[in-house]
Structure formats: structure tokens, C-alpha cells
């Protein structure tokens, strides 16, 4: 009976230590308390954090990309990532959302502005070769749905087709041009 009480006590102490340390320290503690049940700690997602996204170019693995967010571009910071792919590779929605604006600019060329479902973030896709057939403003998009094709429109080098992809935290009036750029690279997964 003393052995059972001792093991139970050790198990409770280990469990409390594990909860206090967080799940990243769980393996060493759990190994010492194999007789005690392990209760996982649920972490709540930060409601202001961007939603998880997939790599917005079909067939490109995250491991094949590099983080270009903080690189210089002339006199300013890039504030986006460039995803290299052959011209015509499908560009896919990084997340569910709605096409807010289709636009052509000198810098970005053929572009798509997609708002996330909560209208807190804007996904910006630029240098497209063309849009997917029938793409229009107000269109709902599902994660992975084709919205366009990799190209070199705008100020992109004509011999380096790529997608310029940015994530913008919208201001309260939902004006992406006044929003705050967030590095999308650490938030992407190769689903």
C-alpha cells in the first residue's frame, strides 16, 4: 500500500511539474513517471494571430523556399516572400477567404487581394501571368483553389517567374494599403 501511495504521489508531482513546464518539456518528465497518467495541456490559438496557411504555389514545398521578407528591395524592405516556380504553375489560395480586389499595377502586375474569413488579414498575390478562368471580385475561395498562374507581370524580372506573396494585417477600416505587413514564411505549411 505504501508503494502505491508513493508512486501515486510521485506521479502527481511529475504531472504538476509537466503542466508547469509546458508540453515542450513533457518527454523527460513523462519518462520518469510512466505509471502516472499524462494529461495534455491544450493551448488556445491567439485570436489575433493569422490563420495557418499552405504554400500558395502548387507543388512547391516549404523546404524549397527561403524567407525573403526582410531583404532589401531598392530603398525599402521586401515585406513579402518570393516563391520561384515555372511560368504557368498554378497559384492557389493560401487559406479560405474572399477575393476582395483584382488589380493591375506597375509594381505588382496582375494581382489578387484575398481577405481571410474574419476579414483581419489580406493575402496578396502578385506578378501573376493570368487569372484562373472566371475569377472575380467577391468570389469565395477555398484553401488550395486555383486563383491564377505564376508569371512575371509588373516589375518582376522577365527571366525569373515567381509569386510575390504578402500577408497584411488589416487596419480597422480594412484598407490593405494602410495595413501592417506580417512575415508569412513561418506561417506556411506544405500540406
Amino acid at each position: 500500500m505504501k508503494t502505491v501511495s508513493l508512486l501515486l504521489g510521485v506521479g502527481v508531482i511529475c504531472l504538476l511539474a509537466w503542466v508547469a513546464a509546458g508540453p515542450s518539456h513533457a518527454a523527460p518528465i513523462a519518462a520518469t513517471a510512466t505509471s502516472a497518467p499524462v494529461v495534455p495541456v491544450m493551448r488556445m490559438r491567439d485570436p489575433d494571430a493569422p490563420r495557418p496557411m499552405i504554400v500558395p504555389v502548387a507543388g512547391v514545398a516549404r523546404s524549397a523556399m527561403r524567407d525573403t521578407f526582410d531583404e532589401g528591395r531598392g530603398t525599402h524592405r521586401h515585406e513579402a516572400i518570393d516563391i520561384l516556380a515555372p511560368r504557368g504553375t498554378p497559384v492557389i489560395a493560401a487559406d479560405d477567404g474572399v477575393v476582395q480586389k483584382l488589380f493591375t499595377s506597375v509594381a505588382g502586375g496582375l494581382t489578387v487581394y484575398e481577405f481571410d474569413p474574419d476579414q483581419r488579414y489580406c493575402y496578396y498575390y502578385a506578378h501573376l501571368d493570368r487569372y484562373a478562368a472566371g475569377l472575380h471580385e467577391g468570389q469565395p475561395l477555398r484553401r488550395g483553389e486555383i486563383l491564377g498562374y505564376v508569371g512575371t507581370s509588373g516589375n518582376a524580372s522577365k527571366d525569373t517567374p515567381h509569386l510575390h506573396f504578402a500577408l497584411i494585417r488589416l487596419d480597422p477600416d480594412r484598407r490593405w494599403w494602410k495595413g501592417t505587413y506580417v512575415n508569412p514564411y513561418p506561417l506556411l505549411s506544405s500540406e
Side-chain angles (χ1 to χ4, degrees), residues 36-190:
V38 177
V39 179
V41 176
M42 297 298 292
R43 299 253 186 229
M44 297 301 291
R45 186 171 94 64
D46 177 356
D48 291 327
R51 293 163 47 100
M53 299 174 287
I54 59 172
V55 174
V57 178
V60 175
R62 187 176 183 281
S63 60
M65 301 166 35
R66 62 186 195 86
D67 187 350
T68 58
F69 186 82
D70 288 317
E71 289 183 359
R73 293 291 192 272
T75 60
H76 63 281
R77 188 170 69 157
H78 190 217
E79 296 185 323
I81 55 173
D82 288 338
I83 304 170
L84 302 175
R87 183 181 311 280
T89 302
V91 173
I92 58 177
D95 186 19
D96 295 343
V98 174
V99 175
Q100 189 66 29
K101 186 161 188 69
L102 302 177
F103 190 69
T104 304
S105 70
V106 172
L110 217 53
T111 62
V112 174
Y113 293 84
E114 175 195 3
F115 281 13
D116 77 341
D118 301 322
Q119 296 191 1
R120 293 180 304 114
Y121 287 89
C122 175
Y123 309 115
Y124 174 69
Y125 310 82
H127 303 313
L128 299 175
D129 190 55
R130 66 188 187 282
Y131 295 127
L135 189 74
H136 61 275
E137 292 179 5
Q139 177 179 337
L141 290 173
R142 302 296 299 167
R143 174 189 301 247
E145 185 175 348
I146 297 174
L147 55 92
Y149 299 89
V150 170
T152 57
S153 61
N155 65 4
S157 173
K158 299 304 175 200
D159 60 349
T160 311
H162 68 280
L163 173 68
H164 172 97
F165 180 69
L167 175 63
I168 307 161
R169 182 187 319 267
L170 297 169
D171 75 352
D173 294 326
R174 296 184 179 93
R175 298 174 298 187
W176 60 85
W177 61 95
K178 299 263 186 180
T180 304
Y181 285 83
V182 176
N183 188 350
Y185 184 78
L187 304 169
L188 295 173
S189 68
S190 296

